[in-house]
């Protein structure tokens, strides 16, 4: 089975621009979560989607948004980019039922650099 | 609220020696516990998890972890370290009682295995 894929892998943007990142979960997985990883803050949860509905949301400003499509693919969007948004953005998908004990599998991440 | 602590930012061990990466957790109910490893410029790879049952959990690449409820710990261990084990290790927890809340990750421990 193919793993979680994320595109693009690397991205350079300037302040004020917006960016869209894409994630394709493992086939059959309906839960997709997004995380931001930075050296200073570690792994911070952004949001989770399950069957096209946002199920959980982290403590990030409204500039960060996401959505999930009927095929479970997910996108996250960051508008009005700030220097502090430079990070590795990780996507993870979880089981068929998205249940509490199921393992999350992570993609390789998208490294975003904001200049 | 659920939380995870990884008390050591860095662990150094000689190749061939046993290694331990420490993790303690705090949840109000029973925990689901996970270990992940991250190699440079990669996403997180799942190593093992504790859901219920035997307190000693065996995972990928010869790693194991022991769940200790009284000490609220879930330390990762390997009998004989390899240079290729050098990476960043994350412990994560989800409270069984909280339903489908996001995984909460520790800050990570950087393991360095010296030849």
């Amino acid at each position: 089975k193919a793993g979680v894929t994320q595109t693009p892998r690397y991205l350079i943007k300037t302040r004020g621009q917006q960016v869209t990142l894409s994630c394709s979960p493992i086939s059959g997985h309906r839960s997709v979560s997004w995380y931001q990883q930075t050296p200073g803050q570690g792994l911070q949860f952004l949001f989770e989607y399950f069957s096209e509905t946002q199920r959980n949301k982290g403590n990030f400003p409204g500039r960060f948004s996401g959505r999930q499509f009927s095929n479970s693919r997910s996108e996250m969007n960051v508008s009005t980019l700030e220097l502090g948004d430079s990070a590795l953005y990780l996507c993870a998908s979880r089981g068929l039922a998205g249940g509490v004990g199921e393992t999350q599998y992570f993609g390789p991440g998208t490294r975003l650099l904001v200049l | 609220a659920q939380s995870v602590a990884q008390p050591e930012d860095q662990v150094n061990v000689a190749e061939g020696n046993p290694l331990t990466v420490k993790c303690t957790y705090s949840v109000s109910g029973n925990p689901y516990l996970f270990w992940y490893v991250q190699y440079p410029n990669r996403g997180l790879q799942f190593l093992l998890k504790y859901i219920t049952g035997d307190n000693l959990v065996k995972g990928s690449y010869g790693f194991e972890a022991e769940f200790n409820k009284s000490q609220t710990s879930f330390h990762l261990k390997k009998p004989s370290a390899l240079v290729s084990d050098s990476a960043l290790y994350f412990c994560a927890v989800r409270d069984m009682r909280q339903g489908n809340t996001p995984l909460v990750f520790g800050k990570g421990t950087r393991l360095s295995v010296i030849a």
Side-chain angles (χ1 to χ4, degrees):
Chain A
K1 241 185 199 182
V4 178
T5 58
Q6 292 185 244
T7 56
R9 292 293 312 279
Y10 302 94
L11 208 48
I12 300 175
K13 292 285 187 179
T14 56
R15 278 181 301 173
Q17 287 187 310
Q18 75 159 11
V19 66
T20 299
L21 312 182
S22 181
C23 171
S24 292
I26 291 171
S27 178
H29 285 191
R30 291 191 290 163
S31 164
V32 174
S33 296
W34 289 89
Y35 293 83
Q36 181 196 66
Q37 185 180 19
T38 58
Q41 299 296 320
L43 276 162
Q44 292 189 286
F45 172 75
L46 281 156
F47 25 68
E48 179 192 10
Y49 287 87
F50 181 78
S51 293
E52 301 180 66
T53 300
Q54 188 178 83
R55 183 156 72 173
N56 288 294
K57 188 177 189 307
N59 190 25
F60 277 80
R63 300 186 296 107
F64 292 81
S65 63
R67 59 178 175 168
Q68 187 180 33
F69 302 95
S70 58
N71 62 358
S72 293
R73 190 177 69 85
S74 177
E75 289 181 347
M76 67 163 281
N77 184 278
V78 188
S79 63
T80 320
L81 283 166
E82 300 177 0
L83 295 179
D85 297 333
S86 295
L88 181 66
Y89 290 88
L90 294 164
C91 167
S93 74
R94 178 153 61 111
L96 294 174
V100 293
E102 290 171 322
T103 301
Q104 275 190 334
Y105 294 95
F106 284 79
T110 294
R111 180 148 321 262
L112 172 65
L113 177 61
V114 182
L115 301 174
Chain B
Q2 48 202 2
S3 66
V4 172
Q6 292 182 243
E8 300 156 318
D9 291 335
Q10 173 96 28
V11 170
N12 298 318
V13 64
E15 187 177 30
N17 282 2
L19 70 87
T20 298
V21 183
K22 296 179 181 177
C23 170
T24 58
Y25 66 89
S26 175
V27 296
S28 57
N30 290 320
Y32 291 130
L33 293 155
F34 301 80
W35 274 103
Y36 288 85
V37 60
Q38 185 178 34
Y39 296 99
N41 299 314
R42 304 282 291 276
L44 275 65
Q45 293 181 30
F46 169 71
L47 280 178
L48 52 80
K49 69 180 179 183
Y50 172 80
I51 301 298
T52 186
D54 194 347
N55 288 344
L56 184 64
V57 179
K58 294 189 183 296
S60 307
Y61 313 119
F63 285 94
E64 59 188 28
E66 185 164 13
F67 171 64
N68 188 317
K69 189 170 184 177
S70 63
Q71 296 186 4
T72 61
S73 67
F74 190 56
H75 301 330
L76 181 70
K77 299 183 180 186
K78 188 173 182 182
S80 178
L82 300 172
V83 172
S84 57
D85 293 330
S86 299
L88 188 57
Y89 290 80
F90 290 96
C91 181
V93 69
R94 181 182 286 122
D95 189 337
M96 192 187 301
R97 193 180 294 179
Q98 298 293 323
N100 272 305
T101 52
L103 267 183
V104 173
F105 285 84
K107 292 287 188 184
T109 298
R110 188 164 299 281
L111 173 67
S112 181
V113 181
I114 303 152

